[in-house]
Amino acid sequence: MIGPKTPTLLKATLTTLGDRKLPLVLASPGGDIAAAMAIGRLVRRNGLNVAVGKTIFAGCQPDQEGCTANDNRGADYVGAAISRGRCAHACTLVLAAGVRRLAGDGTAIEAIPIVAASEAGTKRLAAYYGEMGVRYQVLVDGPRSEDGNLGYWQLFKALLVTNTLAVDQLVNAQICRGTPAPNNCRVFTTMDLE
């Protein structure tokens, strides 16, 4: 859930990462619209790629007592990102900010409601989507399915989604074989394993 404190948490994380531009993997039912716009502006300012997905864990669950993170020294769990996430409502404002905006097979994007409770709020949403290069009017006027959502074609046409690649295209170890390697690649030496 995107809450009022979420932009501050993301900003602190980005400060810790320095110049590294790690991709942001989203799975959110929505939340605070103003906070989502603030997150989106942080994402855009930092030139991050965004994908809809979620993390699955092998081993114990990270919120379990006594479960330790993957430190490559016998951790209790290891996480892997997959494209089975859901990005709804305010989450789409964050998705709109990505340099690349991926939504692979199995993801759900719920870009409703597109209008706010007030005319001023709707104008702010339209201006924000425009700032991010998303065609707001296509989101509003596009044909919808029975559940009220836009199909992938409409999400592409609106530029809310730029690719249907799976989230692993941003986080899989294979991407580190490219030259130059993306910023989210970690290089391990034998000293790291001691």
Side-chain angles (χ1 to χ4, degrees):
M1 183 67 80
I2 298 169
K5 294 180 182 179
T6 311
T8 304
L9 295 171
L10 178 60
K11 190 173 185 175
T13 300
L14 293 173
T15 299
T16 301
L17 294 174
D19 291 336
R20 295 181 71 206
K21 294 182 185 298
L22 302 183
L24 183 62
V25 179
L26 300 173
S28 173
D32 186 286
I33 290 176
M37 287 182 187
I39 293 168
R41 288 185 175 109
L42 280 170
V43 166
R44 181 55 61 94
R45 190 168 37 252
N46 285 279
L48 304 180
N49 292 318
V50 178
V52 178
K54 67 179 183 179
T55 304
I56 57 169
F57 297 96
C60 62
Q61 295 303 301
D63 56 354
Q64 257 181 298
E65 189 175 327
C67 187
T68 59
N70 181 12
D71 59 5
N72 296 312
R73 292 181 180 92
D76 292 335
Y77 73 88
V78 175
I82 62 169
S83 290
R84 299 234 185 265
R86 175 178 170 243
C87 181
H89 313 295
C91 176
T92 63
L93 297 166
V94 179
L95 177 62
V99 174
R100 293 173 63 198
R101 301 179 287 276
L102 280 61
D105 190 36
T107 60
I109 299 174
E110 298 171 25
I112 52 174
I114 295 300
V115 294
S118 68
E119 186 177 331
T122 299
K123 285 181 181 180
R124 276 193 298 279
L125 281 175
Y128 174 83
Y129 278 120
E131 178 185 338
M132 297 302 148
V134 174
R135 298 176 179 144
Y136 175 76
Q137 212 53 49
V138 174
L139 293 176
V140 173
D141 297 336
R144 298 185 177 275
S145 62
E146 289 179 16
D147 61 4
N149 286 308
L150 296 168
Y152 269 102
W153 171 245
Q154 289 302 115
L155 296 172
F156 268 109
K157 190 175 174 183
L159 302 175
L160 183 61
V161 172
T162 60
N163 207 307
T164 58
L165 291 172
V167 70
D168 66 357
Q169 296 297 308
L170 296 178
V171 298
N172 190 302
Q174 300 302 321
I175 66 172
C176 296
R177 293 184 178 175
T179 304
N183 287 332
N184 55 319
C185 293
R186 287 180 64 189
V187 178
F188 293 99
T189 66
T190 54
M191 291 173 58
D192 293 320
L193 301 174
E194 294 176 353

